[in-house]
Amino acid sequence: GNYGFQAQPMGFPGGFVAPPIQNQPTMDGTIWMPIPPSIPNCPPGLEYLTQIDQILIHQQLEILELVTGFEENNKYELKNALGQRVYFAAEDTDCLTRNCCGPSRPFTMRITDNLGRQVITLQRPLRCDACCCPCCLQELEVQAPPGTTVGYVVQNWHVCLPKFTIQDEKRRDILKITGPCVVCRCCEDIHFEVKSLDETCSVGRISKQWTGLVREMFTDTDNFGISFPMDLDVKMKAVMIGACFLI
C-alpha cells in the first residue's frame, strides 16, 4: 500500500524476464550494463533501475585538480554490483561558482546512459549548509527525463543530525533519510539510513566508503554505495541517486 513500492513488470508469465538487449562494445574499453528492453510507464532510461538493488558511485580523479587544487567539474561512474557501468554523471557548473562556493555551490548534474542519452538531471540551488539557518536548507530536484520532475530531496532542520526527506513530484513525503551525528569518521564507512516515514522500517542505505588515509587527505574523490529494494518504484530509485549526490 506504500507509494514508492511497486512490482516491476515481468517479461513473460511464470517469472521469466525477457533477456536484455546486449550493448555494443565501447571504444575506451568500459564495460556497460546491457541495455534493457523498454517498459511501459517507465521513464526512458530508467529501465536499468528495474533490474538492480544497489548502485556503486565512483568519483573520477581529476589530475589538474590534484596538482593545482583548482576545483574542476566532478564526474562519476555509476555501476551495478557486477562492476558494469549503468550511468555516467557529469557536473555542469561554471568555474567561478565552483571555486568560490566550494561544496555549498549550486550545481546541475547530468546523468547519461550507455547510448549517450541524458536520462536524469539533478538541480541543486544555492543554499546555506549551516544548522543555524533553518530557513535556507539544502534541496535538490530530480528530473527523469530532463524537464519532467519525478521527486525532490529536502533537508530537515536538526541541531546535530543530517536528516532529509524524499518527496515525489507533488512534494508528498515518501521516505526519510537519517545520517550519523558525526559525518567525518576516520577509517570507517559512513552510513545514511533510508527509512519509512515513521522511521520504524529500514528501506535502504546510502554509504560513503572509506578509501584510505592518503586518498581521503589529498583528494576529494568519493566512493558511495546505494542499496534499495528491487521492487522500489524506479522514480524513487532515481531520487535516491539524487539524495546521494546531495549528501
Side-chain angles (χ1 to χ4, degrees):
N2 259 340
Y3 177 84
F5 291 90
Q6 64 181 25
Q8 302 298 338
M10 306 301 287
F12 295 92
F16 179 79
V17 181
I21 302 172
Q22 296 298 318
N23 58 308
Q24 298 296 321
T26 59
M27 297 296 293
D28 61 358
T30 301
I31 302 175
W32 285 87
M33 180 177 174
I35 304 171
S38 60
I39 298 175
N41 302 318
C42 178
L46 298 192
E47 296 91 350
Y48 299 89
L49 299 181
T50 66
Q51 302 183 356
I52 58 179
D53 59 3
Q54 59 179 302
I55 291 179
L56 307 176
I57 300 180
H58 302 294
Q59 183 177 353
Q60 293 190 338
L61 181 64
E62 301 292 339
I63 301 300
L64 179 62
E65 182 176 326
L66 177 63
V67 174
T68 66
F70 191 80
E71 186 72 25
E72 295 285 308
N73 274 320
N74 290 329
K75 300 180 180 66
Y76 305 85
E77 285 185 296
L78 284 71
K79 298 181 179 181
N80 62 16
L82 299 177
Q84 299 169 326
R85 184 188 288 182
V86 183
Y87 297 118
F88 183 80
E91 179 186 1
D92 184 6
T93 307
D94 64 83
C95 177
L96 183 63
T97 299
R98 288 196 309 272
N99 289 277
C100 291
C101 299
S104 300
R105 63 183 179 267
F107 65 76
T108 297
M109 190 74 66
R110 307 188 190 280
I111 301 178
T112 56
D113 66 4
N114 62 4
L115 295 177
R117 300 178 302 174
Q118 185 177 335
V119 297
I120 303 174
T121 300
L122 311 177
Q123 292 186 334
R124 171 192 178 185
L126 179 63
R127 296 290 175 88
C128 178
D129 60 357
C131 65
C132 59
C133 299
C135 60
C136 194
L137 298 174
Q138 297 292 332
E139 181 175 313
L140 181 136
E141 179 183 353
V142 181
Q143 300 175 2
T148 302
T149 301
V150 296
Y152 299 87
V153 185
V154 295
Q155 183 183 7
N156 307 127
W157 185 85
H158 194 280
V159 67
C160 62
L161 291 178
K163 297 176 73 73
F164 303 87
T165 298
I166 288 179
Q167 300 176 332
D168 65 9
E169 70 278 7
K170 297 181 179 179
R171 288 195 173 271
R172 295 176 296 193
D173 294 350
I174 304 299
L175 298 168
K176 296 286 188 178
I177 302 176
T178 302
C181 182
V182 180
V183 295
C184 296
R185 296 181 177 179
C186 183
C187 303
E188 63 179 29
D189 295 347
I190 302 172
H191 303 296
F192 290 76
E193 301 296 334
V194 183
K195 300 182 178 181
S196 57
L197 282 180
D198 59 7
E199 301 189 30
T200 60
C201 176
S202 180
V203 175
R205 172 179 285 184
I206 299 173
S207 301
K208 181 183 184 300
Q209 301 168 349
W210 171 257
T211 56
L213 182 62
V214 174
R215 189 159 184 163
E216 292 282 347
M217 288 182 61
F218 296 102
T219 73
D220 62 356
T221 56
D222 293 321
N223 292 323
F224 283 87
I226 309 173
S227 61
F228 37 63
M230 185 73 77
D231 61 349
L232 184 67
D233 184 352
V234 291
K235 295 180 181 179
M236 294 301 103
K237 290 183 180 182
V239 179
M240 281 187 64
I241 293 174
C244 181
F245 281 105
L246 182 61
I247 291 172

